[in-house]
Amino acid sequence: MNTGASSKRSPVLFFELVYAISIPFWVLNTIFPIKLPVDNLPVTDIAATFTPMVAASILVPGRGI
């Protein structure tokens, strides 16, 4: 069994990476609290929505065509 591939696919690593990518958005929201008029939604929340996709893209190796 290939233990190197299974260690890269760890759910713990995924959640740690999502957390690490989300921290700058939380800091920016604290420094610049800009909210959208619709539902009083912070602008940084829109960008933070894509952090799980970015983390998954980093952890899953791309396949060539």
Side-chain angles (χ1 to χ4, degrees):
M1 186 156 106
N2 188 357
T3 58
S6 63
S7 65
K8 281 185 86 172
R9 297 183 67 168
S10 169
V12 174
L13 182 60
F14 171 74
F15 287 113
E16 287 175 350
L17 189 57
V18 168
Y19 183 75
I21 294 171
S22 298
I23 289 174
F25 293 112
W26 297 338
V27 171
L28 283 174
N29 190 30
T30 304
I31 296 171
F32 305 108
I34 301 170
K35 303 212 183 250
L36 295 176
V38 179
D39 294 333
N40 206 16
L41 181 71
V43 174
T44 54
D45 283 358
I46 295 170
T49 303
F50 297 101
T51 57
M53 180 185 68
V54 171
S57 298
I58 292 170
L59 293 176
V60 175
R63 294 185 179 183
I65 296 176

